[in-house]
Amino acid sequence: MTGITLALSKGRIFEETMPLLEAAGIRPLEDPESSRKLIIPTERADVRVLIVRATDVPTYVQHGAADLGVAGRDVLLEHGGDGLVQPLDLQIARCRMMVACAEGFDYASAVRSGARLRVATKYVSIAREHFAAKGVHVDLIKLYGSMELAPLVGLADVIVDLVSTGGTLKANKLVAVEEVMPISSRLVVNRAALKLRRAEIDPIIQCFAGALAPA
Ligand code: PRT
Ligand code: MG
């Protein structure tokens, strides 16, 4: 098959990737927010965009259903990154992975006490590694959303979640107590495609690189 297929998620990643696509001369012909189409053609006849869930981007690229994609560092760490090359940190969709708890919870002494900590999160791998590195024993509780609820109803002592403005934590009377890592989105490329079709794929990576704001 010829042509380039790019996997993107709707919302902030699509919006923040748009200027980089422009730089590569790739203008999608429909807006994924209003269109129900999942395969969106672009002004370049040789490039199409797949609209997938943010957490599914690495899977499409790993299996070669898409050649390139844009995914958060959070999503890539949870996926594991098999079969993917990550040539660029695009510095978009930035936020921080944080440990947070209820306002009244004494996180520091809970950690010091050595008692097991109940941690609710969608990011089980990232949380496991974080607490293992600190030598804190945890019971991980996997959730798929609305993590903020867990400490409020006694499901967990703390959550590990993404924070950008802090508005969601504040609205639920939670406080961030520790940074796990800064998060931004990366360009990901199928490893085999990059080897076999470097002549087609390299120019796109170069256009993205050139369009990044100087650090
Ligand atoms: O929404 P959906 O369930 O379809 O998928 P998704 O949440 O995985 O996708 P999307 O588009 O919301 O997020 C895509 C990527 O954006 C993530 O993988 C992150 O790398 C990045 N990103 C940047 C964020 C945020 N900022 C962010 N604030 N992803 C999620 N959030 C959520 C956070 O989980 C929390 O619920 O926003 C809430 C906190 O926001 P503040 O502003 O109140 O702090
Ligand atoms: Mg979301």
Side-chain angles (χ1 to χ4, degrees), residues 41-138:
T42 74
E43 278 181 7
R44 273 178 59 172
D46 63 328
V47 182
R48 60 180 189 164
V49 175
L50 306 185
I51 301 300
V52 305
R53 280 294 285 266
T55 42
D56 291 335
V57 167
T59 306
Y60 277 84
V61 178
Q62 172 190 6
H63 295 283
D67 303 300
L68 302 106
V70 175
R73 184 184 182 194
D74 50 321
V75 165
L76 290 167
L77 287 172
E78 291 298 318
H79 170 271
D82 264 14
L84 304 177
V85 181
Q86 301 181 29
L88 289 176
D89 181 349
L90 302 175
Q91 296 291 347
I92 61 171
R94 293 173 72 159
C95 57
R96 295 186 299 158
M97 188 69 74
M98 302 290 290
V99 180
C101 60
E103 276 169 5
F105 185 76
D106 189 346
Y107 177 66
S109 43
V111 165
R112 260 198 318 272
S113 77
R116 295 184 78 84
L117 200 64
R118 293 172 307 150
V119 180
T121 188
K122 187 163 131 183
Y123 310 98
V124 171
S125 298
I126 292 172
R128 183 183 293 115
E129 278 213 22
H130 176 72
F131 289 107
K134 284 170 63 76
V136 175
H137 294 287
V138 294

Side-chain angles (χ1 to χ4, degrees), residues 140-152:
L140 291 165
I141 301 164
K142 168 80 183 186
L143 292 177
Y144 292 87
S146 303
M147 265 88 82
E148 295 82 5
L149 188 57
L152 303 179

Side-chain angles (χ1 to χ4, degrees), residues 98-105 107 120 143 145-163 165-178:
M98 302 290 290
V99 180
C101 60
E103 276 169 5
F105 185 76
Y107 177 66
L143 292 177
S146 303
M147 265 88 82
E148 295 82 5
L149 188 57
L152 303 179
V153 295
L155 178 64
D157 302 311
V158 305
I159 61 171
V160 170
D161 194 8
L162 299 172
V163 177
T165 63
T168 306
L169 291 183
K170 202 169 173 201
N172 291 291
K173 296 194 179 349
L174 300 179
V175 283
V177 288
E178 191 165 86

Side-chain angles (χ1 to χ4, degrees), residues 22-34:
E22 292 261 346
I26 302 168
R27 213 162 287 118
L29 294 179
E30 285 186 55
D31 175 1
E33 299 303 334
S34 51

